[in-house]
Amino acid sequence: MNLPSNLKYSEEHEWVRVEGNKAYIGITDFAQSELGDIVFVELPAVGDELEQNKPFGSVESVKTVSELYAPVSGKVVEVNGQLEDSPELVNESPYENAWMVVVELADESEVEKLMDASAYEDMVKE
């Protein structure tokens, strides 16, 4: 299981990479491996507001449909359009090419409430 140490992680298996006041959000390597082959990704539109711990989209695999939960609150400023035509990127490159949305952080303190890599690893081992 690949867990970059520069990211923060949510209990719902999303990751966050903060750059300035923006947060890149995607799903973890663990989540994509549990879901299996991803065949469709539904994401919000630019301008939509995400609220921490509330659903903001979904991923569909050959096995199931799983909701995506916002690890932080903020306004969507960018959506990864590549995932519309190539949802398999989520399986191939969950941290690099398959980021899902970029949000302008509404409350930077929310990031501090997320887990670091070792805490997330402990959670998924339970």
Side-chain angles (χ1 to χ4, degrees), residues 2 11 15 32 34 36-37 67 70 75 78 83 91 104-105 109 112 116 121:
N2 179 15
E11 288 183 13
W15 58 261
Q32 71 77 22
E34 291 291 301
D37 294 336
E67 289 208 274
K75 182 179 180 179
E78 198 174 341
L83 299 180
N91 298 113
E104 204 168 80
L105 289 166
S109 72
E112 301 312 312
D116 63 15
E121 185 175 21

Side-chain angles (χ1 to χ4, degrees), residues 16-24 72 75 77-78 102-105 108 111:
V16 175
R17 182 178 76 237
V18 176
E19 294 182 6
N21 71 335
K22 294 193 170 92
Y24 287 75
V72 292
K75 182 179 180 179
V77 293
E78 198 174 341
V102 180
V103 300
E104 204 168 80
L105 289 166
E108 292 183 28
V111 175

